mmCIF file of all heavy atoms in Angstrom:
data_model
loop_
_atom_site.group_PDB
_atom_site.id
_atom_site.type_symbol
_atom_site.label_atom_id
_atom_site.label_comp_id
_atom_site.label_asym_id
_atom_site.label_seq_id
_atom_site.Cartn_x
_atom_site.Cartn_y
_atom_site.Cartn_z
ATOM 1 N N TRP A 1 63.593 100.123 64.821
ATOM 2 C CA TRP A 1 64.055 99.668 66.142
ATOM 3 C C TRP A 1 64.116 98.149 66.151
ATOM 4 O O TRP A 1 63.161 97.477 65.734
ATOM 5 C CB TRP A 1 63.115 100.140 67.248
ATOM 6 C CG TRP A 1 63.644 99.867 68.630
ATOM 7 C CD1 TRP A 1 64.408 100.709 69.390
ATOM 8 C CD2 TRP A 1 63.463 98.676 69.414
ATOM 9 N NE1 TRP A 1 64.730 100.104 70.598
ATOM 10 C CE2 TRP A 1 64.153 98.856 70.633
ATOM 11 C CE3 TRP A 1 62.792 97.466 69.203
ATOM 12 C CZ2 TRP A 1 64.198 97.884 71.645
ATOM 13 C CZ3 TRP A 1 62.839 96.485 70.198
ATOM 14 C CH2 TRP A 1 63.529 96.707 71.403
ATOM 15 N N ALA A 2 65.218 97.596 66.606
ATOM 16 C CA ALA A 2 65.351 96.147 66.729
ATOM 17 C C ALA A 2 66.349 95.837 67.835
ATOM 18 O O ALA A 2 67.418 96.455 67.919
ATOM 19 C CB ALA A 2 65.809 95.516 65.416
ATOM 20 N N TYR A 3 66.001 94.890 68.660
ATOM 21 C CA TYR A 3 66.856 94.468 69.780
ATOM 22 C C TYR A 3 67.972 93.593 69.219
ATOM 23 O O TYR A 3 67.759 92.441 68.863
ATOM 24 C CB TYR A 3 66.006 93.697 70.784
ATOM 25 C CG TYR A 3 66.654 93.485 72.125
ATOM 26 C CD1 TYR A 3 66.643 94.495 73.083
ATOM 27 C CD2 TYR A 3 67.242 92.262 72.440
ATOM 28 C CE1 TYR A 3 67.217 94.298 74.326
ATOM 29 C CE2 TYR A 3 67.822 92.061 73.680
ATOM 30 C CZ TYR A 3 67.809 93.067 74.624
ATOM 31 O OH TYR A 3 68.386 92.869 75.872
ATOM 32 N N HIS A 4 69.177 94.169 69.111
ATOM 33 C CA HIS A 4 70.266 93.539 68.368
ATOM 34 C C HIS A 4 71.543 93.575 69.199
ATOM 35 O O HIS A 4 72.150 94.635 69.382
ATOM 36 C CB HIS A 4 70.457 94.278 67.039
ATOM 37 C CG HIS A 4 71.372 93.577 66.091
ATOM 38 N ND1 HIS A 4 71.793 94.150 64.916
ATOM 39 C CD2 HIS A 4 71.959 92.349 66.134
ATOM 40 C CE1 HIS A 4 72.597 93.318 64.288
ATOM 41 N NE2 HIS A 4 72.718 92.216 65.009
ATOM 42 N N ASN A 5 71.955 92.402 69.676
ATOM 43 C CA ASN A 5 73.115 92.332 70.569
ATOM 44 C C ASN A 5 74.415 92.757 69.912
ATOM 45 O O ASN A 5 75.245 93.429 70.542
ATOM 46 C CB ASN A 5 73.279 90.916 71.117
ATOM 47 C CG ASN A 5 72.391 90.645 72.317
ATOM 48 O OD1 ASN A 5 71.874 91.573 72.945
ATOM 49 N ND2 ASN A 5 72.196 89.379 72.638
ATOM 50 N N ALA A 6 74.646 92.344 68.669
ATOM 51 C CA ALA A 6 75.944 92.604 68.037
ATOM 52 C C ALA A 6 76.224 94.091 67.914
ATOM 53 O O ALA A 6 77.331 94.562 68.235
ATOM 54 C CB ALA A 6 75.991 91.942 66.672
ATOM 55 N N ALA A 7 75.237 94.843 67.461
ATOM 56 C CA ALA A 7 75.428 96.292 67.304
ATOM 57 C C ALA A 7 75.705 96.952 68.650
ATOM 58 O O ALA A 7 76.554 97.853 68.751
ATOM 59 C CB ALA A 7 74.196 96.901 66.658
ATOM 60 N N TYR A 8 75.003 96.500 69.696
ATOM 61 C CA TYR A 8 75.257 97.030 71.047
ATOM 62 C C TYR A 8 76.657 96.677 71.520
ATOM 63 O O TYR A 8 77.385 97.513 72.069
ATOM 64 C CB TYR A 8 74.208 96.474 72.023
ATOM 65 C CG TYR A 8 74.779 96.091 73.362
ATOM 66 C CD1 TYR A 8 75.095 97.074 74.311
ATOM 67 C CD2 TYR A 8 75.041 94.763 73.687
ATOM 68 C CE1 TYR A 8 75.647 96.735 75.532
ATOM 69 C CE2 TYR A 8 75.591 94.419 74.905
ATOM 70 C CZ TYR A 8 75.892 95.397 75.830
ATOM 71 O OH TYR A 8 76.456 95.061 77.033
ATOM 72 N N THR A 9 77.061 95.419 71.299
ATOM 73 C CA THR A 9 78.347 94.942 71.811
ATOM 74 C C THR A 9 79.513 95.766 71.292
ATOM 75 O O THR A 9 80.515 95.964 71.998
ATOM 76 C CB THR A 9 78.546 93.460 71.443
ATOM 77 O OG1 THR A 9 77.503 92.681 72.025
ATOM 78 C CG2 THR A 9 79.886 92.931 71.955
ATOM 79 N N LEU A 10 79.403 96.285 70.090
ATOM 80 C CA LEU A 10 80.494 97.067 69.522
ATOM 81 C C LEU A 10 80.694 98.413 70.215
ATOM 82 O O LEU A 10 81.681 99.105 69.934
ATOM 83 C CB LEU A 10 80.281 97.251 68.022
ATOM 84 C CG LEU A 10 80.602 96.001 67.196
ATOM 85 C CD1 LEU A 10 80.157 96.165 65.760
ATOM 86 C CD2 LEU A 10 82.101 95.684 67.263
ATOM 87 N N LEU A 11 79.811 98.783 71.132
ATOM 88 C CA LEU A 11 80.093 99.956 71.977
ATOM 89 C C LEU A 11 81.352 99.724 72.811
ATOM 90 O O LEU A 11 82.067 100.675 73.142
ATOM 91 C CB LEU A 11 78.908 100.253 72.900
ATOM 92 C CG LEU A 11 77.715 100.952 72.261
ATOM 93 C CD1 LEU A 11 76.523 100.961 73.207
ATOM 94 C CD2 LEU A 11 78.073 102.385 71.858
ATOM 95 N N ASP A 12 81.621 98.465 73.159
ATOM 96 C CA ASP A 12 82.855 98.153 73.888
ATOM 97 C C ASP A 12 84.070 98.587 73.080
ATOM 98 O O ASP A 12 85.009 99.203 73.611
ATOM 99 C CB ASP A 12 82.949 96.647 74.158
ATOM 100 C CG ASP A 12 81.777 96.098 74.947
ATOM 101 O OD1 ASP A 12 80.889 96.891 75.319
ATOM 102 O OD2 ASP A 12 81.751 94.891 75.194
ATOM 103 N N ALA A 13 84.046 98.267 71.779
ATOM 104 C CA ALA A 13 85.171 98.631 70.916
ATOM 105 C C ALA A 13 85.276 100.142 70.754
ATOM 106 O O ALA A 13 86.388 100.696 70.688
ATOM 107 C CB ALA A 13 85.006 97.967 69.554
ATOM 108 N N VAL A 14 84.143 100.828 70.694
ATOM 109 C CA VAL A 14 84.145 102.289 70.612
ATOM 110 C C VAL A 14 84.846 102.885 71.828
ATOM 111 O O VAL A 14 85.720 103.764 71.707
ATOM 112 C CB VAL A 14 82.689 102.826 70.512
ATOM 113 C CG1 VAL A 14 82.660 104.348 70.704
ATOM 114 C CG2 VAL A 14 82.077 102.460 69.170
ATOM 115 N N ILE A 15 84.487 102.408 73.011
ATOM 116 C CA ILE A 15 85.075 102.944 74.248
ATOM 117 C C ILE A 15 86.549 102.575 74.351
ATOM 118 O O ILE A 15 87.384 103.401 74.771
ATOM 119 C CB ILE A 15 84.275 102.438 75.457
ATOM 120 C CG1 ILE A 15 82.896 103.121 75.468
ATOM 121 C CG2 ILE A 15 85.011 102.708 76.769
ATOM 122 C CD1 ILE A 15 81.949 102.601 76.524
ATOM 123 N N GLU A 16 86.900 101.351 73.971
ATOM 124 C CA GLU A 16 88.312 100.947 74.028
ATOM 125 C C GLU A 16 89.158 101.802 73.082
ATOM 126 O O GLU A 16 90.248 102.257 73.458
ATOM 127 C CB GLU A 16 88.443 99.466 73.675
ATOM 128 C CG GLU A 16 87.958 98.538 74.778
ATOM 129 C CD GLU A 16 88.157 97.072 74.445
ATOM 130 O OE1 GLU A 16 88.190 96.718 73.236
ATOM 131 O OE2 GLU A 16 88.277 96.273 75.382
ATOM 132 N N SER A 17 88.667 102.010 71.869
ATOM 133 C CA SER A 17 89.409 102.806 70.899
ATOM 134 C C SER A 17 89.566 104.251 71.367
ATOM 135 O O SER A 17 90.650 104.837 71.265
ATOM 136 C CB SER A 17 88.698 102.774 69.549
ATOM 137 O OG SER A 17 89.306 103.648 68.627
ATOM 138 N N ALA A 18 88.496 104.816 71.919
ATOM 139 C CA ALA A 18 88.528 106.220 72.335
ATOM 140 C C ALA A 18 89.358 106.436 73.592
ATOM 141 O O ALA A 18 89.998 107.483 73.752
ATOM 142 C CB ALA A 18 87.108 106.723 72.551
ATOM 143 N N SER A 19 89.342 105.467 74.493
ATOM 144 C CA SER A 19 90.030 105.633 75.789
ATOM 145 C C SER A 19 91.461 105.112 75.774
ATOM 146 O O SER A 19 92.276 105.497 76.620
ATOM 147 C CB SER A 19 89.254 104.908 76.892
ATOM 148 O OG SER A 19 89.303 103.502 76.709
ATOM 149 N N GLY A 20 91.774 104.212 74.839
ATOM 150 C CA GLY A 20 93.094 103.589 74.832
ATOM 151 C C GLY A 20 93.267 102.588 75.959
ATOM 152 O O GLY A 20 94.398 102.205 76.283
ATOM 153 N N MET A 21 92.168 102.153 76.566
ATOM 154 C CA MET A 21 92.198 101.206 77.673
ATOM 155 C C MET A 21 91.324 100.014 77.336
ATOM 156 O O MET A 21 90.448 100.102 76.474
ATOM 157 C CB MET A 21 91.671 101.868 78.961
ATOM 158 C CG MET A 21 92.449 103.087 79.410
ATOM 159 S SD MET A 21 91.609 103.958 80.784
ATOM 160 C CE MET A 21 91.717 102.708 82.068
ATOM 161 N N SER A 22 91.575 98.898 78.022
ATOM 162 C CA SER A 22 90.653 97.780 77.873
ATOM 163 C C SER A 22 89.303 98.171 78.464
ATOM 164 O O SER A 22 89.214 99.042 79.335
ATOM 165 C CB SER A 22 91.191 96.534 78.583
ATOM 166 O OG SER A 22 91.085 96.687 79.999
ATOM 167 N N TYR A 23 88.264 97.525 77.980
ATOM 168 C CA TYR A 23 86.917 97.846 78.468
ATOM 169 C C TYR A 23 86.811 97.601 79.974
ATOM 170 O O TYR A 23 86.244 98.410 80.711
ATOM 171 C CB TYR A 23 85.890 97.010 77.710
ATOM 172 C CG TYR A 23 84.469 97.451 77.953
ATOM 173 C CD1 TYR A 23 83.990 98.636 77.407
ATOM 174 C CD2 TYR A 23 83.601 96.693 78.731
ATOM 175 C CE1 TYR A 23 82.687 99.056 77.621
ATOM 176 C CE2 TYR A 23 82.297 97.101 78.944
ATOM 177 C CZ TYR A 23 81.841 98.278 78.393
ATOM 178 O OH TYR A 23 80.557 98.689 78.612
ATOM 179 N N ASN A 24 87.376 96.479 80.437
ATOM 180 C CA ASN A 24 87.351 96.183 81.868
ATOM 181 C C ASN A 24 88.058 97.250 82.689
ATOM 182 O O ASN A 24 87.564 97.677 83.732
ATOM 183 C CB ASN A 24 87.983 94.816 82.143
ATOM 184 C CG ASN A 24 86.949 93.712 82.308
ATOM 185 O OD1 ASN A 24 85.992 93.844 83.066
ATOM 186 N ND2 ASN A 24 87.152 92.617 81.589
ATOM 187 N N ASN A 25 89.220 97.696 82.215
ATOM 188 C CA ASN A 25 89.978 98.687 82.986
ATOM 189 C C ASN A 25 89.268 100.034 83.034
ATOM 190 O O ASN A 25 89.249 100.697 84.074
ATOM 191 C CB ASN A 25 91.387 98.849 82.403
ATOM 192 C CG ASN A 25 92.299 97.707 82.787
ATOM 193 O OD1 ASN A 25 92.010 96.944 83.713
ATOM 194 N ND2 ASN A 25 93.406 97.559 82.072
ATOM 195 N N TYR A 26 88.695 100.446 81.907
ATOM 196 C CA TYR A 26 87.978 101.721 81.905
ATOM 197 C C TYR A 26 86.751 101.640 82.808
ATOM 198 O O TYR A 26 86.475 102.561 83.585
ATOM 199 C CB TYR A 26 87.571 102.096 80.476
ATOM 200 C CG TYR A 26 87.037 103.506 80.344
ATOM 201 C CD1 TYR A 26 87.892 104.612 80.454
ATOM 202 C CD2 TYR A 26 85.686 103.745 80.110
ATOM 203 C CE1 TYR A 26 87.404 105.911 80.345
ATOM 204 C CE2 TYR A 26 85.193 105.035 79.989
ATOM 205 C CZ TYR A 26 86.058 106.113 80.114
ATOM 206 O OH TYR A 26 85.575 107.404 80.007
ATOM 207 N N PHE A 27 86.033 100.533 82.727
ATOM 208 C CA PHE A 27 84.855 100.347 83.582
ATOM 209 C C PHE A 27 85.248 100.313 85.055
ATOM 210 O O PHE A 27 84.590 100.921 85.903
ATOM 211 C CB PHE A 27 84.135 99.050 83.203
ATOM 212 C CG PHE A 27 83.010 98.713 84.124
ATOM 213 C CD1 PHE A 27 81.790 99.368 84.026
ATOM 214 C CD2 PHE A 27 83.160 97.752 85.118
ATOM 215 C CE1 PHE A 27 80.751 99.080 84.895
ATOM 216 C CE2 PHE A 27 82.129 97.451 85.981
ATOM 217 C CZ PHE A 27 80.921 98.114 85.874
ATOM 218 N N ARG A 28 86.323 99.599 85.365
ATOM 219 C CA ARG A 28 86.781 99.493 86.761
ATOM 220 C C ARG A 28 87.137 100.868 87.317
ATOM 221 O O ARG A 28 86.778 101.208 88.443
ATOM 222 C CB ARG A 28 87.986 98.561 86.817
ATOM 223 C CG ARG A 28 88.478 98.244 88.226
ATOM 224 C CD ARG A 28 89.695 97.338 88.182
ATOM 225 N NE ARG A 28 89.393 96.076 87.522
ATOM 226 C CZ ARG A 28 90.001 95.641 86.434
ATOM 227 N NH1 ARG A 28 90.948 96.379 85.853
ATOM 228 N NH2 ARG A 28 89.673 94.478 85.906
ATOM 229 N N GLN A 29 87.838 101.648 86.505
ATOM 230 C CA GLN A 29 88.290 102.968 86.951
ATOM 231 C C GLN A 29 87.136 103.959 87.096
ATOM 232 O O GLN A 29 87.110 104.766 88.030
ATOM 233 C CB GLN A 29 89.318 103.511 85.952
ATOM 234 C CG GLN A 29 89.907 104.863 86.294
ATOM 235 C CD GLN A 29 90.808 105.381 85.193
ATOM 236 O OE1 GLN A 29 90.506 106.337 84.492
ATOM 237 N NE2 GLN A 29 91.946 104.719 85.016
ATOM 238 N N LYS A 30 86.164 103.883 86.201
ATOM 239 C CA LYS A 30 85.127 104.920 86.137
ATOM 240 C C LYS A 30 83.870 104.588 86.942
ATOM 241 O O LYS A 30 83.177 105.502 87.397
ATOM 242 C CB LYS A 30 84.744 105.181 84.681
ATOM 243 C CG LYS A 30 85.870 105.751 83.840
ATOM 244 C CD LYS A 30 86.288 107.130 84.355
ATOM 245 C CE LYS A 30 87.415 107.721 83.535
ATOM 246 N NZ LYS A 30 87.766 109.100 83.998
ATOM 247 N N ILE A 31 83.571 103.307 87.127
ATOM 248 C CA ILE A 31 82.345 102.945 87.848
ATOM 249 C C ILE A 31 82.617 101.962 88.976
ATOM 250 O O ILE A 31 82.353 102.258 90.148
ATOM 251 C CB ILE A 31 81.282 102.342 86.898
ATOM 252 C CG1 ILE A 31 80.866 103.349 85.822
ATOM 253 C CG2 ILE A 31 80.042 101.905 87.698
ATOM 254 C CD1 ILE A 31 79.859 102.804 84.814
ATOM 255 N N ARG A 32 83.127 100.791 88.638
ATOM 256 C CA ARG A 32 83.179 99.692 89.605
ATOM 257 C C ARG A 32 83.828 100.070 90.925
ATOM 258 O O ARG A 32 83.235 99.947 91.997
ATOM 259 C CB ARG A 32 83.902 98.484 88.997
ATOM 260 C CG ARG A 32 83.673 97.202 89.767
ATOM 261 C CD ARG A 32 84.684 96.122 89.410
ATOM 262 N NE ARG A 32 85.956 96.361 90.080
ATOM 263 C CZ ARG A 32 86.938 95.471 90.152
ATOM 264 N NH1 ARG A 32 86.799 94.285 89.574
ATOM 265 N NH2 ARG A 32 88.064 95.757 90.771
ATOM 266 N N ASP A 33 85.097 100.533 90.853
ATOM 267 C CA ASP A 33 85.824 100.812 92.082
ATOM 268 C C ASP A 33 85.311 102.056 92.801
ATOM 269 O O ASP A 33 85.492 102.193 94.023
ATOM 270 C CB ASP A 33 87.320 100.966 91.787
ATOM 271 C CG ASP A 33 87.952 99.661 91.342
ATOM 272 O OD1 ASP A 33 87.262 98.612 91.413
ATOM 273 O OD2 ASP A 33 89.117 99.676 90.900
ATOM 274 N N ARG A 34 84.669 102.954 92.080
ATOM 275 C CA ARG A 34 84.193 104.197 92.690
ATOM 276 C C ARG A 34 82.932 104.006 93.519
ATOM 277 O O ARG A 34 82.627 104.831 94.379
ATOM 278 C CB ARG A 34 83.964 105.256 91.610
ATOM 279 C CG ARG A 34 85.225 105.635 90.848
ATOM 280 C CD ARG A 34 84.972 106.803 89.921
ATOM 281 N NE ARG A 34 84.763 108.045 90.646
ATOM 282 C CZ ARG A 34 84.324 109.172 90.115
ATOM 283 N NH1 ARG A 34 84.013 109.201 88.826
ATOM 284 N NH2 ARG A 34 84.155 110.246 90.843
ATOM 285 N N ILE A 35 82.185 102.928 93.242
ATOM 286 C CA ILE A 35 80.963 102.704 94.023
ATOM 287 C C ILE A 35 81.011 101.393 94.815
ATOM 288 O O ILE A 35 80.014 100.996 95.413
ATOM 289 C CB ILE A 35 79.703 102.755 93.145
ATOM 290 C CG1 ILE A 35 79.617 101.577 92.188
ATOM 291 C CG2 ILE A 35 79.648 104.064 92.357
ATOM 292 C CD1 ILE A 35 78.279 101.484 91.446
ATOM 293 N N GLY A 36 82.171 100.733 94.809
ATOM 294 C CA GLY A 36 82.350 99.554 95.659
ATOM 295 C C GLY A 36 81.796 98.262 95.102
ATOM 296 O O GLY A 36 81.521 97.325 95.852
ATOM 297 N N MET A 37 81.639 98.191 93.779
ATOM 298 C CA MET A 37 81.186 96.939 93.165
ATOM 299 C C MET A 37 82.328 95.932 93.099
ATOM 300 O O MET A 37 83.499 96.290 93.219
ATOM 301 C CB MET A 37 80.690 97.200 91.734
ATOM 302 C CG MET A 37 79.435 98.029 91.617
ATOM 303 S SD MET A 37 79.043 98.417 89.877
ATOM 304 C CE MET A 37 78.629 96.777 89.243
ATOM 305 N N ASN A 38 81.971 94.674 92.884
ATOM 306 C CA ASN A 38 82.946 93.692 92.431
ATOM 307 C C ASN A 38 82.546 93.312 91.011
ATOM 308 O O ASN A 38 81.598 93.868 90.457
ATOM 309 C CB ASN A 38 82.971 92.465 93.356
ATOM 310 C CG ASN A 38 81.861 91.463 93.010
ATOM 311 O OD1 ASN A 38 80.712 91.842 92.774
ATOM 312 N ND2 ASN A 38 82.201 90.183 92.971
ATOM 313 N N GLY A 39 83.254 92.385 90.404
ATOM 314 C CA GLY A 39 82.799 91.879 89.120
ATOM 315 C C GLY A 39 83.753 92.107 87.970
ATOM 316 O O GLY A 39 84.763 92.808 88.082
ATOM 317 N N LEU A 40 83.392 91.507 86.831
ATOM 318 C CA LEU A 40 84.265 91.482 85.664
ATOM 319 C C LEU A 40 83.435 91.269 84.409
ATOM 320 O O LEU A 40 82.450 90.518 84.409
ATOM 321 C CB LEU A 40 85.258 90.319 85.816
ATOM 322 C CG LEU A 40 86.386 90.191 84.804
ATOM 323 C CD1 LEU A 40 87.406 91.316 85.002
ATOM 324 C CD2 LEU A 40 87.067 88.828 84.966
ATOM 325 N N TRP A 41 83.849 91.949 83.324
ATOM 326 C CA TRP A 41 83.276 91.690 82.005
ATOM 327 C C TRP A 41 84.014 90.517 81.380
ATOM 328 O O TRP A 41 85.254 90.495 81.352
ATOM 329 C CB TRP A 41 83.412 92.904 81.100
ATOM 330 C CG TRP A 41 82.551 94.067 81.493
ATOM 331 C CD1 TRP A 41 82.894 95.104 82.297
ATOM 332 C CD2 TRP A 41 81.191 94.290 81.095
ATOM 333 N NE1 TRP A 41 81.835 95.973 82.437
ATOM 334 C CE2 TRP A 41 80.775 95.503 81.708
ATOM 335 C CE3 TRP A 41 80.289 93.600 80.284
ATOM 336 C CZ2 TRP A 41 79.502 96.027 81.531
ATOM 337 C CZ3 TRP A 41 79.019 94.122 80.102
ATOM 338 C CH2 TRP A 41 78.634 95.324 80.724
ATOM 339 N N ILE A 42 83.282 89.532 80.889
ATOM 340 C CA ILE A 42 83.883 88.329 80.303
ATOM 341 C C ILE A 42 83.330 88.125 78.903
ATOM 342 O O ILE A 42 82.113 88.149 78.684
ATOM 343 C CB ILE A 42 83.597 87.087 81.174
ATOM 344 C CG1 ILE A 42 84.245 87.261 82.558
ATOM 345 C CG2 ILE A 42 84.115 85.820 80.503
ATOM 346 C CD1 ILE A 42 83.921 86.136 83.526
#
């Protein structure tokens, strides 16, 4: 076990590849807009 940002960050690429959408768009569609959040991944 090791707290490692790079390995975690590549989950974004996994989701983008699997969904065919940008990470922001998939997040916006599935969580952000459905619960009334604002915000952006940068």
Side-chain angles (χ1 to χ4, degrees):
W1 188 91
Y3 194 81
H4 190 188
N5 277 343
Y8 139 77
T9 300
L10 284 171
L11 282 170
D12 302 358
V14 169
I15 290 174
E16 287 183 334
S17 174
S19 68
M21 301 171 65
S22 73
Y23 191 72
N24 261 310
N25 283 344
Y26 190 72
F27 174 78
R28 186 181 300 120
Q29 181 185 110
K30 296 296 180 177
I31 299 178
R32 196 196 78 167
D33 293 352
R34 298 187 70 191
I35 69 171
M37 293 174 67
N38 83 316
L40 188 70
W41 290 92
I42 297 175

